[in-house]
Amino acid sequence: MEEREEVLEEGYKPRPKWQVWLARLGLLVFLIFVALFYFGLFGGGT
């Protein structure tokens, strides 16, 4: 239990910049994929 208490006392540490930007890039790619999927499903298909 002492190890767990030590971890809690360290406080909040922000994520590294590369990890934040990689998550944003992944979200952007996902949203583009969803938009293309719906465009093909509802508007672009023949």
Side-chain angles (χ1 to χ4, degrees):
M1 290 295 281
E2 291 179 12
E3 293 179 8
R4 179 177 261 178
E5 291 175 5
E6 289 176 8
V7 171
L8 293 175
E9 289 176 5
E10 290 178 3
Y12 173 75
K13 291 184 181 178
R15 296 209 180 265
K17 297 280 186 190
W18 68 267
Q19 202 172 26
V20 173
W21 282 105
L22 193 63
R24 290 176 181 168
L25 180 63
L27 178 63
L28 180 64
V29 169
F30 175 73
L31 291 176
I32 289 172
F33 174 76
V34 169
L36 290 174
F37 175 76
Y38 280 118
F39 177 75
L41 189 66
F42 292 118
T46 54

